[in-house]
Amino acid sequence: MKLPAATDRLQVTFWGVRGSIPTPGQETSRYGGNTLCVELGFSACGRTIIVDAGSGIRRLGDDLLSRSGHSTGLALDLLLSHTHLDHILGLPFFSPLYRHDTRINVYGPTISPEDCLEEVIGGQLCYRYFPVRQTELAARITYIDLREGVYDLGDGISLTATYLNHPLLCMGYRFDWRGRSVCTAFDTEPFRNLFVTDPDDPAYDEIMALEGDQAAREAGQRMQSFFRGADLLIHDGHYTEEEYRAGRAGWGHSSVEQAIHAAESAGCRRLR
Ligand SMILES: [Zn+2]
C-alpha cells in the first residue's frame, strides 16, 4: 500500500462546530461552543482555505498570525457556505483583516446581482452594527460570487461547488487535492417531495406527487455523487432523528442519522 508523503497532508481543524448561536458553557466544553469555521491546511503548498466565518474564526485569526510570526503577509481563501448570521458573524473579529499585508479571497453564493457578496458582508460592517466599516479594513479583499461548478484554486486544488437544501441559497464544497477529498455540507437536509403524497388528502394530485418523488430522488442522487468516496464528509447533524420528525422537516437541517446515511450511501471514509 502506498502511504501518502508527510508533505501531502491535508489537515482539517475545527474552530467552530455549532449552528445558530455561539454557546459557551460546560455543556459545550467537549466540542466547543463557537459557530462554524473549518480550516483546511495544504501542507505541501502552504495554502490555507477556510470554510465559513462563524465565531470560531476569531481564534483561527489569532492563531494564523501567531503561526506566521506576525511578520509574513497571509494569503487566504475564505469560502462561505451561505450568509446566515451564524456563518458570518465572526468575520469582523478576524484579526488578519486589519493588516495591510493580508490578501484574502472571499467566495460564496449570491441570490442576485444587487445582493452580491460584498454588499451582504458589508451590511454587517456598518456603524449600526459594528464600529468598523468595510472600507476601513486594511486587508486586500477580493469577493468572488460562486455558482455551481468546478473551479481551479491553483496548486492542484480543485473546488466543486453545489447547491444544498436550505431556505437560503447555500453551497456545499468539495476539495480534491493529490488524491484526497474533503466535502462540506452545512446547512442542509435531505431533499424530499414537496407535494401532497397522501391520496386521501383533497389537495392530492397524482402527477404532481410522482413528479415531486422523481425530483427529490434526482436531487438526492446528485448529492450522493457529490459526496462519492470522500475521505472526509463534514455534514450538518443539527438534530436527533426524534427532534427532526417532531416538526422540523423543511427547516434546512439534518438529523445525525441522516448525516450517517449520506456518508454511508456515498462510501465516504469518515464523517464529522
Ligand atoms: Zn443557515
Side-chain angles (χ1 to χ4, degrees):
M1 190 172 107
K2 188 170 174 277
L3 292 171
T7 51
D8 283 356
R9 264 190 356 162
L10 201 177
Q11 186 162 326
V12 180
T13 310
F14 294 83
W15 293 93
V17 297
R18 305 289 299 182
S20 303
I21 190 166
T23 48
Q26 274 186 342
E27 333 64 85
T28 54
S29 62
R30 183 164 181 189
Y31 298 108
N34 279 311
T35 63
L36 275 158
C37 178
V38 175
E39 176 194 4
L40 278 71
F42 300 79
S43 56
C45 54
R47 292 278 295 273
T48 298
I49 295 181
I50 305 159
V51 183
D52 278 352
S55 61
I57 203 170
R58 185 186 66 82
R59 280 188 55 224
L60 167 60
D62 295 344
D63 198 71
L64 284 169
L65 289 177
S66 129
R67 273 186 255 161
S68 71
H70 295 266
S71 56
T72 329
L74 292 170
L76 306 166
D77 294 287
L78 168 63
L79 286 91
L80 300 172
S81 61
H82 62 315
T83 52
H84 274 163
L85 194 56
D86 49 329
H87 296 254
I88 61 168
L89 62 82
L91 201 56
F93 304 93
F94 186 50
S95 41
L97 289 183
Y98 296 89
R99 293 182 58 110
H100 286 284
D101 56 357
T102 299
R103 284 180 296 119
I104 180 165
N105 296 318
V106 181
Y107 305 78
T110 47
I111 304 162
S112 67
E114 304 79 53
D115 258 339
C116 67
L117 208 51
E118 187 166 2
E119 287 292 321
V120 177
I121 297 299
Q124 67 167 350
L125 287 163
C126 71
Y127 286 140
R128 188 176 297 132
Y129 303 117
F130 198 68
V132 180
R133 289 176 302 161
Q134 181 162 229
T135 50
E136 293 174 87
L137 297 176
R140 187 137 51 92
I141 308 172
T142 306
Y143 289 96
I144 299 153
D145 295 333
L146 283 184
R147 298 187 188 288
E148 272 193 321
V150 180
Y151 299 85
D152 179 0
L153 296 184
D155 296 309
I157 305 168
S158 170
L159 166 71
T160 308
T162 197
Y163 295 126
L164 303 174
N165 187 17
H166 199 56
L168 177 66
L169 208 56
C170 182
M171 282 284 193
Y173 296 119
R174 179 180 175 121
F175 303 90
D176 285 279
W177 180 71
R178 299 192 177 189
R180 286 160 188 67
S181 46
V182 175
C183 276
T184 63
F186 34 83
D187 303 343
T188 195
E189 72 175 294
F191 289 90
R192 63 197 173 93
N193 188 347
L194 297 176
F195 296 105
V196 175
T197 52
D198 178 3
D200 295 330
D201 190 313
Y204 177 75
D205 179 308
E206 189 181 358
I207 293 173
M208 285 169 75
L210 287 172
E211 281 181 0
D213 262 345
Q214 190 180 345
R217 199 166 41 249
E218 285 172 4
Q221 285 164 352
R222 188 171 56 79
M223 291 313 304
Q224 204 177 79
S225 41
F226 177 67
F227 297 149
R228 174 82 56 217
D231 292 304
L232 173 64
L233 170 61
I234 308 169
H235 197 286
D236 187 326
H238 211 74
Y239 308 120
T240 63
E241 189 64 18
E242 207 177 357
E243 287 168 339
Y244 180 81
R245 288 184 189 281
R248 291 183 176 91
W251 288 18
H253 291 285
S254 301
S255 67
V256 174
E257 288 81 353
Q258 288 166 336
I260 292 169
H261 176 73
E264 280 182 347
S265 58
C268 302
R269 288 183 57 210
R270 295 175 80 181
L271 172 70
R272 285 288 183 273

